[in-house]
Amino acid sequence: MAQSEYTANNIQVLEGLDGVRKRPSMYIGDTDTRGLHHLVYEIVDNAVDEALAGECKKIEVVLEKGGYISITDDGRGIPVEPHPIHKRPAIEVVMTKLHAGGKFDSKSYIISGGLHGVGLSVVNALSEFLEVETTREGLVYYQKYSRGKPLEDLKQISGDRKRGTKIRFKPDKEIFKKTELSFDYISQRLREIAFLNKGLVIEIQDETTNKRHFFEYKGGITSFIKDINKNRDVIHEEPIYLFNKRGDIEVEIALQYNDGYKENIFSFANTVNTQEGGTHLIGFKSGLTRAINDYIRKNRPTKKEEISLSGEDTREGLTAIISIKLPEPQFEGQTKTKLGNSELKGIVESVTIEGLNQFFEENPKTTKPIIEKSILAARAREAAKKAKELTRRKSALENDPLPGKLADCEERNSEHSELYLVEGDSAGGSAKQGRDRHFQAILPLRGKILNVEKTRIDKVLSNEEIRSIIMVLGTGVEEDFNIKKIRYGKIIIMTDADVDGSHIRTLLLTFFFRYMQPLIKENRIYVARPPLYCIRRGKEEVYAYSEDELKSTLSRMGEKKISIQRYKGLGEMNSEQLWETTMDPKKRVMSVVTLEDVVEAEEVFTMLMGEKIEHRRHFIFSHANEVKNLDV
Ligand code: 0RA
């Protein structure tokens, strides 16, 4: 053993639980919400270990009043016999000594040695109170602790519990900034655990709110896949399910394709979500690519063109779960969520190829749409490459023809110019007449813009409206995007204040978000806000831009001889009115579109985009912080 390792071990032993209380973050990451919930997961993981060993069928979690939480399982219980070295009951050693998990049998699958893996004693040390009730050979034992120290000796108690363990504790206010446990956060993880352990029953309830969730998935990860795809259109009804063993290692895979283009693969090792991937994920991907290419080679020999699919081609629209159970998982990476066991790559690859080969042979009906989708993906990839090259070459040309419908401005300095993207030809016409042609350019947009989320890049780039926007802006898209080439300082979206208008605006924003994100980050995109009402009395005309403004205007002008016009579209205003109310920099109201947290927004976009349109609209209009001032 290396000298340094030896010393490190010694220090930890010497420190004991006092060290845990002095430096809690070293053990649980932080003392915020995450760290707090770490305590719960540590205990839950121990119960799940019992389930993985086939010894536990039910786990119950109760958020009690007064800040207590209890976790009950029907597993084997915690050993109580005297510990050979410490001469104390094993359970007391497990609860009061660092790294005394007591599960040295490497044949069993354990997660408690993995991600959370800090041991029950850490939970105990960081709880102002903890009590444990456990059953061994039909007898019930009890002990209670405070801040890691036993309050009394382990004792046998009467009780009708036949099996299992109940641990009840209260996180320490001296340690945690906030000690409120989140029902939803815990419930979400429990649900995932239930999916990953077919048939395991998990219940969680909150005594304060009487909320209660019950999870039991007889279909296991197949149910998980169906749940993830529930809002998507799938191209084959039943997920494909593969299960196989290689020695001690169990490999379980479920997959299903939908008609979208994103890949959604989740991998787990002993129910730990391996967010950073690892050897099992690599094995699955290469197995899938091989299996699909093999099938094409075998079954479409008459097709002239030889196509070889890339991995990406085989994963378009794929939702998959890879769940591995193995005796000694090695968790690596920044967040310890990357599976490192090198033997897993080959194992998962061969299980995937073998399983899929057999499935494809036996289920030609299901296989056909999958193969066709992958081939289409390969063709689209080629087409997209060409389409991009085309926009690249075009914008490289000096005398790039601008679309005829653009009414350009005279100003060449982009710092002083603006571009209005206007919904419809008629409003476009008014805007062209009403504008200040010195610095305002108008591009009318006809009909509906493509939903860029649901459309492959080759289609997006060949859509006429999108192409005119790209050409007019002059910046290129995606990795070719160069903000220095922009031809206008402000890009102003001007649409009707109705459902179609907000739809077009949403699609435009999605396009900018996906293909020209820096424009949003640099606050170049604006939304024009035409007035909602015109209030007239005699020759007097007042515009109101919101319901509140309408109210205050009415109370100011009185009730007599007043007429109110409600604008439904830009077309109801003539060119002077449009200039005066919506385009004159001195009077107009505009909102800048900003993404305060682009990373987070990207996630939300990815989650919601391409799904139901209602969702999308709801997202754009309910996240006022991310898309600022975007009121309708
Ligand atoms: C040490 C050894 C064994 C099980 C456990 C601890 C154990 C811990 C917890 C925490 C909550 N529920 C639990 N259930 C069991 C193995 C016991 C054996 O081999 O019989």
Side-chain angles (χ1 to χ4, degrees):
M1 187 186 282
Q3 185 83 38
S4 60
E5 221 173 294
Y6 176 80
T7 318
N9 281 342
N10 269 308
I11 288 170
Q12 284 210 325
V13 171
L14 283 176
E15 264 187 358
L17 295 190
D18 289 338
V20 177
R21 289 183 59 80
K22 274 199 198 106
R23 282 187 288 273
S25 301
M26 289 241 319
Y27 298 88
I28 55 167
D30 61 48
T31 53
D32 288 317
T33 313
R34 254 186 111 91
L36 176 72
H37 287 84
H38 208 127
L39 304 189
V40 180
Y41 296 150
E42 178 62 36
I43 304 212
V44 168
D45 283 357
N46 273 275
V48 175
D49 285 347
E50 293 296 297
L52 288 171
E55 297 281 354
C56 162
K57 297 191 164 37
K58 180 164 188 191
I59 300 173
E60 255 178 288
V61 176
V62 182
L63 293 168
E64 299 179 11
K65 288 184 179 145
Y68 289 86
I69 180 168
S70 72
I71 293 110
T72 308
D73 64 68
D74 59 358
R76 285 168 297 187
I78 306 174
V80 293
E81 62 279 359
H83 190 278
I85 298 163
H86 299 285
K87 314 276 183 228
R88 303 292 301 165
I91 185 168
E92 183 179 312
V93 176
V94 166
M95 287 298 177
T96 58
K97 301 265 183 273
L98 261 183
H99 295 295
K103 292 187 243 183
F104 304 115
D105 171 11
S106 75
K107 286 243 160 23
S108 51
Y109 306 130
I110 50 165
I111 48 176
S112 54
L115 177 60
H116 304 117
V118 289
L120 296 172
S121 61
V122 169
V123 182
N124 197 14
L126 303 177
S127 298
E128 63 175 69
F129 179 80
L130 183 145
E131 60 186 351
V132 55
E133 207 181 294
T134 200
T135 313
R136 295 294 278 183
E137 290 166 8
L139 301 175
V140 190
Y141 298 84
Y142 175 89
Q143 192 170 27
K144 60 183 173 183
Y145 318 79
S146 177
R147 305 196 161 102
K149 298 205 163 62
L151 293 173
E152 55 185 45
D153 283 346
L154 181 75
K155 64 184 178 195
Q156 198 196 312
I157 58 168
S158 58
D160 42 36
R161 192 181 299 284
K162 301 247 159 22
R163 265 180 78 83
T165 304
K166 174 176 181 177
I167 295 178
R168 181 173 171 271
F169 68 99
K170 183 175 182 173
D172 196 345
K173 283 191 292 292
E174 291 176 7
I175 303 284
F176 295 97
K177 294 180 181 137
K178 276 201 327 208
T179 51
E180 287 89 53
L181 293 161
S182 159
F183 177 88
D184 292 326
Y185 190 54
I186 299 170
S187 176
Q188 202 180 321
R189 170 66 184 142
L190 294 177
R191 184 159 176 269
E192 191 174 271
I193 290 171
F195 275 128
L196 293 164
N197 294 276
K198 202 181 293 190
L200 176 63
V201 174
I202 305 185
E203 222 184 307
I204 174 169
Q205 68 182 96
D206 186 333
E207 288 189 337
T208 314
T209 59
N210 283 327
K211 265 209 242 178
R212 193 189 196 95
H213 286 169
F214 179 93
F215 306 118
E216 180 184 14
Y217 299 104
K218 299 223 166 70
I221 59 172
T222 301
S223 310
F224 203 167
I225 292 280
K226 286 184 178 173
D227 184 74
I228 298 168
N229 272 343
K230 68 174 180 286
N231 286 328
R232 306 193 166 106
D233 293 322
V234 295
I235 65 169
H236 55 104
E237 245 358 271
E238 275 302 303
I240 301 172
Y241 177 77
L242 312 176
F243 176 82
N244 222 321
K245 273 186 175 175
R246 297 282 193 269
D248 289 340
I249 298 172
E250 287 184 14
V251 180
E252 220 187 339
I253 296 168
L255 60 128
Q256 187 180 39
Y257 287 83
N258 61 61
D259 69 352
Y261 305 108
K262 295 233 157 56
E263 66 172 80
N264 251 316
I265 310 181
F266 302 93
S267 63
F268 299 86
N270 293 354
T271 82
V272 173
N273 187 337
T274 40
Q275 286 176 22
E276 295 172 89
T279 48
H280 54 338
L281 181 62
I282 295 171
F284 167 73
K285 286 183 177 174
S286 74
L288 177 72
T289 312
R290 274 268 307 272
I292 291 188
N293 274 309
D294 285 355
Y295 185 87
I296 294 175
R297 217 162 296 135
K298 265 189 256 153
N299 295 280
R300 309 174 109 241
T302 50
K303 287 270 165 4
K304 275 191 291 277
E305 42 174 343
E306 183 65 38
I307 9 171
S308 178
L309 305 191
S310 75
E312 270 177 49
D313 298 334
T314 66
R315 298 195 297 271
E316 260 197 23
L318 171 70
T319 302
I321 289 166
I322 298 108
S323 175
I324 311 299
K325 288 176 183 153
L326 72 169
E328 288 176 275
Q330 290 152 20
F331 292 104
E332 302 169 348
Q334 284 230 304
T335 55
K336 292 257 171 284
T337 59
K338 182 174 181 179
L339 189 66
N341 305 58
S342 56
E343 71 278 16
L344 261 284
K345 180 183 177 288
I347 290 176
V348 179
E349 182 176 19
S350 82
V351 168
T352 306
I353 295 175
E354 215 172 85
L356 284 179
N357 279 350
Q358 188 183 344
F359 182 91
F360 290 161
E361 290 307 325
E362 290 170 1
N363 302 274
K365 273 221 182 76
T366 308
T367 305
K368 197 169 167 244
I370 296 174
I371 301 295
E372 270 163 13
K373 187 175 172 77
S374 298
I375 292 176
L376 210 64
R379 297 225 170 95
R381 180 165 49 89
E382 281 302 310
K385 224 165 88 189
K386 285 183 192 141
K388 253 194 198 166
E389 273 163 17
L390 216 66
T391 55
R392 217 174 277 163
R393 249 180 282 133
K394 271 243 167 106
S395 53
L397 285 173
E398 276 293 297
N399 301 323
D400 214 5
L402 289 166
K405 55 188 179 169
L406 171 75
D408 212 352
C409 56
E410 289 150 9
E411 178 63 61
R412 282 285 152 261
N413 183 346
S414 70
E415 271 179 49
H416 304 299
S417 64
E418 4 182 278
L419 173 72
Y420 275 84
L421 299 174
V422 186
E423 173 187 1
D425 283 337
S426 89
S430 303
K432 282 180 189 179
Q433 269 178 35
R435 68 176 173 150
D436 180 338
R437 66 172 57 241
H438 173 62
F439 70 99
Q440 293 180 319
I442 310 290
L443 182 68
L445 298 173
R446 217 169 287 148
K448 291 258 157 98
I449 317 287
L450 274 188
N451 180 349
V452 294
E453 263 309 308
K454 279 216 117 181
T455 316
R456 277 208 195 87
I457 181 158
D458 58 316
K459 275 243 184 72
V460 172
L461 297 180
S462 55
N463 173 267
E464 204 192 317
E465 303 304 302
I466 302 266
R467 282 182 79 95
S468 359
I469 297 174
I470 298 172
M471 272 194 259
V472 166
L473 290 179
T475 52
V477 290
E478 283 197 312
E479 68 267 22
D480 292 339
F481 182 87
N482 181 356
I483 202 157
K484 289 200 185 101
K485 291 192 184 160
I486 198 156
R487 301 180 61 246
Y488 309 93
K490 290 190 174 80
I491 295 118
I492 302 157
I493 300 172
M494 187 157 78
T495 55
D496 290 340
D498 60 5
V499 174
D500 275 356
S502 82
H503 187 201
I504 290 174
R505 187 173 51 218
T506 303
L507 292 175
L508 281 172
L509 289 177
T510 311
F511 167 73
F512 288 128
F513 181 85
R514 279 272 164 237
Y515 293 91
M516 302 183 170
Q517 207 169 89
L519 291 186
I520 302 183
K521 286 188 192 150
E522 297 201 8
N523 297 340
R524 300 289 194 117
I525 313 273
Y526 293 78
V527 170
R529 283 178 51 194
L532 297 177
Y533 299 98
C534 178
I535 305 109
R536 293 191 182 82
R537 188 176 57 187
K539 286 224 168 93
E540 193 184 0
E541 269 187 358
V542 180
Y543 297 99
Y545 292 83
S546 65
E547 301 296 329
D548 280 349
E549 270 185 48
L550 174 67
K551 264 190 217 145
S552 63
T553 309
L554 287 178
S555 66
R556 189 166 47 76
M557 288 170 71
E559 303 270 309
K560 267 189 234 151
K561 287 187 184 153
I562 271 190
S563 77
I564 304 172
Q565 182 185 3
R566 190 189 199 298
Y567 290 123
K568 282 180 228 72
L570 299 165
E572 292 170 54
M573 278 181 271
N574 63 33
S575 53
E576 285 110 76
Q577 285 172 320
L578 197 58
W579 163 256
E580 201 179 316
T581 60
T582 317
M583 298 176 75
D584 178 359
K586 293 203 191 75
K587 295 185 191 148
R588 71 187 174 193
V589 183
M590 296 201 308
S591 314
V592 65
V593 176
T594 66
L595 288 175
E596 293 194 332
D597 186 349
V598 176
V599 180
E600 204 176 298
E602 163 95 59
E603 268 166 30
V604 182
F605 264 75
T606 314
M607 223 165 60
L608 299 182
M609 290 294 159
E611 288 180 13
K612 295 198 171 124
I613 259 172
E614 285 75 10
H615 279 181
R616 185 172 32 232
R617 207 170 278 147
H618 176 76
F619 164 71
I620 296 269
F621 297 120
S622 67
H623 286 65
N625 293 337
E626 284 143 34
V627 183
K628 238 192 212 157
N629 302 326
L630 198 71
D631 27 12
V632 194

